[in-house]
Amino acid sequence: MDETVKKYTTRREFFKQYKKKSRLQETWNRFLRNKLAVIGLFIIVFIMLAAVAAPLIANYDTDAIRINVPDRLQSPSAKHIFGTDEVGRDIMARIVHGARISLVVGCAAIAVALFIGGALGAIAGYSGGKIDDVIMRCMDVFLCLPDVLLALAIVAAFGTNLVNLTVAIGLAFTPKFSRVVRSAVMTVRGVEYVEAARTIGATNTQIITNHVLINCFGPIMVQVTLYVASAILTIAALSFIGLGIQAPIPEWGNMLASGRVYMRDHAYIVMAPGLAIFLTILSLNLLGDGLRDALDPRLK
Amino acid sequence: MSNVLLEVKDLKKYYKVPKGMLHAVDGVSFNLEKGETLGIVGESGCGKTTIGRAILRLVEPSSGSVIFDGVDILKLNKREMRHMRRNMQMIFQDPFSSLNPRKTITQTIEEPIILANMIPDPDKRFMRVMELMDTVGLAERLVNTYPHELDGGRRQRIGIARALAMNPKFIICDEPVSALDVSIQAQILNLMKKIQREMGLTYIFITHNLAVVSHFSDDIVVMYLGRLIEKAPSETLFANPLHPYTQALLSAIPVPRIHNRPERLLLRGEITSPINPEPICRFANRCNYAMPICSKEEPGLIEAEPNHFVACHLVGRGNGCSFS
Amino acid sequence: MEIKKINEQENTLEIKNLVIHYISDEEVVKAVNGVNIIIKAGKTLGLVGETGAGKTTTALSILNLVPEPQGKILSGEVLLEGRSVLSMSEHELEVMRGDKVAMIFQDPMTSLNPVHTVGHQIAESIEIHRKVSKHQALKQAKEMLELVGIPSERSNEYPYQFSGGMKQRVDIAIALACSPDLLIADEPTTALDVTIQAQVLKLINELRQKYHMSMLMITHDLGIVAEVCDEVSIAYAGRIIEHGTLEDIFDHMRHPYTKGLFGALPDIGVRRSELMPIKGLMPDPTNLPSGCPFHPRCDYVMEVCSQSLPENKWLSETHCVECHLYKDTNESML
């Protein structure tokens, strides 16, 4: 032992000698083995890149917004890859700019839901008893309503701008998250290493942050992925009925709504946004499933 | 000067359940001297796990007192209790779930040191972790490993190192070897004995395995349905068990010998419910020697011979018979 | 392994050179590596071993229930009353399971279906194998309950209404409902309290004597072996490293692992100041040591031990051991 002391006087030197086996690496390897999940990952990354690069692919004002009636309803060609819509706008430009909206609003809404719902769920799960009952009964009231209806009610009452939409969808998903986080916390709460932490003198806050939450991370991440998909679908649905993103801002849902009447003779006008929605939801679901399997090796 | 480290007086833990009150621990008292090991034995439902946690205030006792080194710890507030925790630690049963899977060995062992702020300097603290790992027999190359990479025996050693980190005076061991293979159990038990000698520790050893506890304890307490039914020094208990339950418990242990096999005393029936128990002897329905008084009155704890306590109507009030 | 002049008809179970590995993308778990077992009619064999010895996998192979995609039976034979189990069709297996061979599992909490009454679960087996009416089967089920010491009125109750010990008795009733020739008990009392364990072991003893059943008792507890078994096989890292009658193993143990097992046990009748553990760790079935799998932990290790697997050596008519120490021993030397 004394030799060791002389060899490494700082823990940093010691840790350099004996490296930590990266759990992240192991999880990543397991994820890669699931082919469908990898496909999902590729698709969603592709969509995200398209969204980020939207201004480079097509100019927002000239291609996506500006009405150009002479060019209307053109079939897909070299100039317009997905064709043009009923007022002559390039569909592909609208798709990639619409991707930005869908992804940003979707993620932001879920972030809101995670923050509020997560906090409520963690408190309910960790405290138990009356606090748990009160919080959960409140959440149950909201859970009874379908997501779309709840978001719709909020948007109808407060107006349809982007911020309202984000908050509305976020609030709609809050009860779901509170349940997920609550059950994750409850599973971990009774575990022996939490008791052990109490034995060595940790406070409740220290236990929650140090032991409980980091072990809930996995299941919560899976739900986040799946709920982002639901949120995007909800945005599209709301826009479709006119209570979400308003024209002329491109959004896949409102593109479906306005193109609907031309569907019979100009199918491409709805196929592109429909396909965009389909691929986004599908890839997020595959990703979520893959994450769940990779994070819990016992599910092999 | 008193040599008594722990005094448990009439400790009770009741749980409210839909059907009434569940008497998990029902008025248990004993003393524990410095440097000694007390074994608490019993089967499921006897309350031995609850009493371990109640003594450490991991569950709050319903009534009674726990006097540790002269201080009634049940009267301390949260902050004082956290400070007191440095002196009293626990080793848990399940080596798989008693360690945080996301923390390395180093992080697990140094957490108590950090929480108590005992060694602020990270390098000196790390040296202390290395020292502890050496004490429990963990190789230095394991510093950055996670629990799932190790086997049960090694994980249990981590648990022991964590318990020792704050230099406690007293450790409660809750079935520390039950989840381990037989060949590893012996390693861990020898280690625990060695540490006790070197560091002057006092242990409470909770288990259902009488063979293990006979090897390890000075005194033994037998519990049944929340009550203390017999207490005696280890040799005395095995040589002359007075309570019929203790006798049945001892004879029920499978003996790994084919010659000189002891006779089996089998119990009838099943354990009664701990919810709203009647004030009679709780063992009466299964006892082969039950008398009418057993179903009417609860037997009190009497000293049948020096240092040998029993709660049984068969022993006492001048009956003076021993049934061994 | 040489089989010494035993009439084939007398053996309820014969396992020869069984090798089973669990193969997955990440690793190969060598669970069973050449196991040889013989259970004579009406006798009980204790299969003793710790984690990773391969006991449960061996037991599952008798019923051909080794988990399919990953568990691969690489070689060996399992003969039940002379018939090969591994080459039976699915239909033949269904006829055999429950009727000729039955199994009791370790955890009584999870081996009963919570949505059916216990009477129904016992009757299920009878209905399938005896081709009687449901009414008749339930009647016989009630008789089985009485046999295991549970009042027959309780046949309409659900598993949650029974304690752990009683659930295990129900398991025994289900297993014995069709009077199997071979009963496999996989650590049947490990999850039970010691006084309940005593009751259950007594019941198992009575029933096997009454029905002249053969039994394979899988356990890590040598005390249970002394109580219930006629012969003992000690398993380590998927091999049988010692086998013999009770006297052979308890009084004349030879293999260093067997000696270590006995030395590591706290025996109430013999109090020592220190237990004598076996040094080192359990072998990793994905990374077994070369040569004799026990050599890293053995106090008597020699150079040859890390180089080659010891052969099986018969020390007497009933006692055999796989250890290089006894390579050149013959019967007269012992």
Side-chain angles (χ1 to χ4, degrees):
Chain A
M1 241 302 277
D2 287 320
E3 282 186 21
T4 323
V5 174
K6 288 194 185 71
K7 258 198 290 179
Y8 308 109
T9 47
T10 66
R11 65 189 278 155
R12 199 172 296 141
E13 287 180 23
F14 214 107
F15 281 8
K16 253 197 282 188
Q17 169 82 349
Y18 299 114
K19 289 230 167 67
K20 240 189 259 196
K21 199 193 245 188
S22 175
R23 287 182 69 107
L24 210 62
Q25 183 74 20
E26 276 182 44
T27 312
W28 180 241
N29 288 341
R30 263 202 300 273
F31 180 82
L32 287 177
R33 264 190 285 263
N34 183 342
K35 298 193 186 69
L36 281 177
V38 174
I39 294 176
L41 182 65
F42 264 117
I43 299 178
I44 193 67
V45 166
F46 178 72
I47 296 175
M48 284 202 278
L49 285 175
V52 166
L56 301 172
I57 301 176
N59 185 295
Y60 186 66
D61 293 305
T62 55
D63 298 326
I65 302 281
R66 196 177 59 178
I67 297 179
N68 187 9
V69 178
D71 277 340
R72 69 192 294 259
L73 294 173
Q74 285 185 17
S75 300
S77 63
K79 188 158 171 245
H80 299 285
I81 301 184
F82 289 150
T84 57
D85 68 1
E86 71 282 2
V87 290
R89 297 176 288 206
D90 179 32
I91 293 182
M92 199 199 60
R94 304 201 89 220
I95 295 274
V96 293
H97 282 280
R100 287 188 143 194
I101 310 262
S102 291
L103 287 175
V104 168
V105 176
C107 291
I110 296 301
V112 167
L114 182 59
F115 198 68
I116 305 179
L120 287 172
I123 297 173
Y126 194 73
S127 318
K130 289 215 170 63
I131 303 180
D132 181 18
D133 283 341
V134 164
I135 297 182
M136 279 301 117
R137 294 298 84 74
C138 288
M139 295 290 111
D140 282 344
V141 169
F142 292 102
L143 270 176
C144 294
L145 305 165
D147 323 322
V148 182
L149 217 53
L150 191 57
L152 199 150
I154 299 177
V155 163
F158 294 104
T160 61
N161 59 58
L162 273 181
V163 172
N164 282 357
L165 193 60
T166 310
V167 170
I169 296 181
L171 287 180
F173 278 85
T174 298
K176 291 198 161 78
F177 260 114
S178 72
R179 283 228 154 248
V180 167
V181 173
R182 172 180 178 269
S183 74
V185 166
M186 281 173 81
T187 311
V188 175
R189 178 187 66 169
V191 154
E192 275 193 336
Y193 59 80
V194 165
E195 257 192 313
R198 208 171 293 136
T199 321
I200 57 178
T203 59
N204 276 341
T205 328
Q206 285 167 328
I207 294 179
I208 296 187
T209 44
N210 255 334
H211 291 276
V212 175
L213 285 181
I214 55 175
N215 276 297
C216 296
F217 194 66
I220 295 178
M221 270 321 290
V222 173
Q223 289 303 122
V224 164
T225 323
L226 298 174
Y227 283 156
V228 167
S230 281
I232 293 179
L233 202 55
T234 310
I235 298 170
L238 283 176
S239 308
F240 185 78
I241 59 175
L243 278 176
I245 313 279
Q246 305 291 331
I249 301 177
E251 201 276 328
W252 299 335
N254 68 26
M255 285 166 76
L256 277 176
S258 49
R260 203 156 43 102
V261 288
Y262 305 95
M263 201 165 65
R264 199 129 52 93
D265 299 318
H266 306 274
Y268 52 87
I269 204 173
V270 293
M271 268 171 64
L275 204 61
I277 297 176
F278 170 70
L279 281 177
T280 309
I281 308 295
L282 178 69
S283 60
L284 280 171
N285 275 306
L286 288 176
L287 185 62
D289 281 348
L291 270 180
R292 188 199 304 125
D293 291 344
L295 286 168
D296 190 359
R298 284 169 292 159
L299 282 179
K300 248 199 287 202
Chain B
M1 209 196 72
S2 173
N3 212 19
V4 172
L5 184 64
L6 179 72
E7 262 182 79
V8 172
K9 287 200 187 125
D10 203 27
L11 193 60
K12 290 191 181 145
K13 176 64 189 169
Y14 292 173
Y15 289 100
K16 194 154 187 301
V17 294
K19 289 201 185 134
M21 277 301 215
L22 194 153
H23 295 216
V25 178
D26 212 350
V28 174
S29 311
F30 57 79
N31 287 355
L32 185 57
E33 298 200 2
K34 288 199 181 90
E36 286 208 335
T37 303
L38 177 73
I40 300 185
V41 298
E43 298 178 302
S44 15
C46 72
K48 57 189 196 297
T49 309
T50 313
I51 200 176
R53 282 160 169 73
I55 293 175
L56 290 186
R57 277 184 83 178
L58 287 174
V59 308
E60 285 296 326
S62 309
S63 71
S65 60
V66 177
I67 301 174
F68 182 80
D69 220 4
V71 178
D72 186 350
I73 62 168
L74 296 182
K75 294 204 167 68
L76 299 176
N77 65 33
K78 263 199 196 162
R79 201 171 41 82
E80 291 167 334
M81 188 63 215
R82 249 185 287 129
H83 190 86
M84 186 54 106
R85 289 217 189 280
R86 298 186 203 182
N87 295 316
M88 18 172 40
Q89 284 298 305
M90 188 173 230
I91 297 173
F92 295 84
Q93 172 174 0
D94 189 349
F96 295 79
S97 61
S98 61
L99 299 174
N100 188 332
R102 303 217 176 246
K103 287 189 184 270
T104 60
I105 292 190
T106 307
Q107 290 166 330
T108 300
I109 300 178
E110 72 174 357
E111 190 182 358
I113 307 177
I114 297 177
L115 285 173
N117 206 13
M118 290 171 85
I119 308 176
D121 179 76
D123 289 322
K124 290 213 181 68
R125 191 167 59 223
F126 183 64
M127 284 302 124
R128 171 80 178 130
V129 169
M130 297 289 310
E131 209 184 295
L132 286 164
M133 282 176 64
D134 191 45
T135 308
V136 301
L138 285 167
E140 64 177 40
R141 63 184 168 82
L142 298 174
V143 278
N144 264 336
T145 49
Y146 287 96
H148 72 268
E149 300 176 56
L150 304 170
D151 67 291
R154 282 212 185 105
R155 289 190 220 197
Q156 202 60 313
R157 290 172 195 265
I158 302 173
I160 297 174
R162 174 179 56 192
L164 293 175
M166 295 202 271
N167 261 326
K169 296 182 185 151
F170 169 58
I171 301 185
I172 296 188
C173 315
D174 187 4
E175 306 254 25
V177 295
S178 304
L180 304 175
D181 282 314
V182 170
S183 53
I184 312 285
Q185 281 187 18
Q187 290 178 1
I188 302 295
L189 287 174
N190 283 349
L191 171 68
M192 289 172 65
K193 256 201 168 170
K194 177 180 114 168
I195 296 174
Q196 182 180 32
R197 268 195 317 263
E198 287 174 6
M199 300 174 71
L201 286 169
T202 307
Y203 282 151
I204 285 186
F205 197 93
I206 300 176
T207 180
H208 64 275
N209 187 336
L210 271 166
V212 164
V213 85
S214 77
H215 171 79
F216 207 72
S217 320
D218 300 302
D219 280 357
I220 299 183
V221 156
V222 181
M223 286 184 69
Y224 187 82
L225 270 184
R227 295 193 68 75
L228 193 161
I229 56 148
E230 190 158 3
K231 176 176 186 282
S234 206
E235 279 105 13
T236 315
L237 193 79
F238 285 93
N240 185 22
L242 292 175
H243 197 289
Y245 176 67
T246 314
Q247 294 166 3
L249 197 59
L250 285 173
S251 83
I253 302 165
V255 172
R257 268 183 285 130
I258 53 176
H259 308 293
N260 299 329
R261 293 181 59 82
E263 222 194 276
R264 276 292 180 85
L265 289 164
L266 285 179
L267 295 173
R268 306 170 290 167
E270 297 267 318
I271 197 168
T272 48
S273 169
I275 302 175
N276 302 332
E278 293 182 37
I280 60 170
C281 174
R282 298 181 196 186
F283 185 63
N285 72 315
R286 306 177 77 188
C287 185
N288 291 316
Y289 308 100
M291 307 181 293
I293 190 180
C294 302
S295 314
K296 294 212 194 85
E297 214 183 282
E298 184 138 37
L301 204 60
I302 59 157
E303 192 165 2
E305 33 174 30
N307 246 335
H308 188 167
F309 300 83
V310 186
C312 179
H313 287 302
L314 290 165
V315 181
R317 300 209 204 103
N319 286 26
C321 314
S322 86
F323 292 81
S324 46
Chain C
M1 184 168 102
E2 243 193 293
I3 302 170
K4 308 187 124 208
K5 27 186 187 104
I6 292 172
N7 188 348
E8 292 276 342
Q9 293 303 105
E10 278 186 28
N11 290 344
T12 309
L13 179 72
E14 266 185 62
I15 300 182
K16 298 187 201 177
N17 282 324
L18 189 63
V19 178
I20 304 178
H21 291 178
Y22 290 99
I23 302 176
S24 72
D25 294 327
E26 298 168 324
E27 58 194 6
V28 174
V29 178
K30 299 188 182 166
V32 179
N33 299 308
V35 155
N36 293 288
I37 286 182
I38 292 187
I39 302 184
K40 307 189 184 87
K43 296 282 186 194
T44 300
L45 174 72
L47 184 57
V48 177
E50 299 175 293
T51 319
K55 321 185 286 287
T56 304
T57 309
T58 307
L60 289 175
S61 72
I62 301 175
L63 295 161
N64 207 344
L65 280 176
V66 176
E68 261 307 46
Q70 298 186 321
K72 295 214 166 32
I73 303 180
L74 297 174
S75 69
E77 279 191 306
V78 177
L79 300 172
L80 189 65
E81 287 173 343
R83 295 180 57 201
S84 166
V85 167
L86 300 177
S87 54
M88 281 186 193
S89 68
E90 194 57 39
H91 176 72
E92 290 172 311
L93 283 171
E94 282 169 14
V95 168
M96 175 197 81
R97 292 174 191 148
D99 190 29
K100 290 254 173 278
V101 192
M103 188 155 169
I104 310 172
F105 296 87
Q106 176 172 342
D107 189 355
M109 307 296 158
T110 52
S111 51
L112 287 175
N113 190 332
V115 300
H116 289 306
T117 62
V118 303
H120 174 106
Q121 296 189 51
I122 302 173
E124 201 181 347
S125 178
I126 302 175
E127 249 186 288
I128 297 174
H129 294 290
R130 293 283 176 263
K131 311 253 183 298
V132 294
S133 70
K134 207 175 191 130
H135 180 73
Q136 266 285 23
L138 274 172
K139 194 154 158 282
Q140 290 182 23
K142 287 190 179 164
E143 286 167 19
M144 286 307 302
L145 276 178
E146 290 282 354
L147 193 68
V148 296
I150 297 179
S152 61
E153 300 86 60
R154 298 192 72 176
S155 70
N156 282 331
E157 289 183 19
Y158 289 87
Y160 77 88
Q161 293 168 283
F162 291 83
S163 69
M166 300 199 102
K167 278 195 255 225
Q168 196 62 301
R169 290 168 188 266
V170 172
D171 279 347
I172 294 174
I174 297 175
L176 297 182
C178 298
S179 307
D181 297 324
L182 175 66
L183 177 67
I184 306 174
D186 189 356
E187 308 247 24
T189 55
T190 304
L192 304 175
D193 280 325
V194 83
T195 50
I196 307 293
Q197 176 177 272
Q199 291 175 335
V200 172
L201 285 178
K202 175 164 173 277
L203 174 67
I204 292 180
N205 248 343
E206 281 170 358
L207 291 175
R208 79 177 175 102
Q209 277 164 13
K210 179 170 171 183
Y211 285 101
H212 303 295
M213 240 173 14
S214 309
M215 185 160 80
L216 177 65
M217 170 64 91
I218 299 176
T219 178
H220 61 272
D221 189 335
L222 286 163
I224 295 181
V225 168
E227 177 128 355
V228 171
C229 305
D230 303 307
E231 295 186 343
V232 189
S233 287
I234 312 271
Y236 191 83
R239 305 187 63 81
I240 304 291
I241 50 126
E242 190 164 3
H243 169 93
T245 62
L246 278 189
E247 271 100 34
D248 290 333
I249 301 292
F250 279 78
D251 290 339
H252 310 295
M253 63 196 93
R254 294 288 170 218
H255 198 286
Y257 175 61
T258 317
K259 290 192 189 165
L261 266 185
F262 277 94
L265 289 177
D267 182 353
I268 292 190
V270 181
R271 298 193 68 203
R272 291 178 292 255
S273 57
E274 254 206 27
L275 295 171
M276 293 177 294
I278 307 177
K279 65 175 194 262
L281 298 169
M282 297 305 301
D284 179 358
T286 61
N287 188 10
L288 289 174
S290 58
C292 171
F294 186 64
H295 84 259
R297 308 175 74 185
C298 187
D299 286 333
Y300 306 92
V301 62
M302 306 179 289
E303 216 186 296
V304 63
C305 300
S306 60
Q307 291 162 352
S308 63
L309 267 177
E311 278 179 13
N312 190 56
K313 178 92 186 155
W314 284 94
L315 304 173
S316 75
E317 249 202 48
T318 52
H319 190 180
C320 69
V321 69
E322 275 187 20
C323 179
H324 287 297
L325 283 171
Y326 302 99
K327 209 167 44 157
D328 303 315
T329 329
N330 50 38
E331 291 180 41
S332 59
M333 283 167 72
L334 292 163

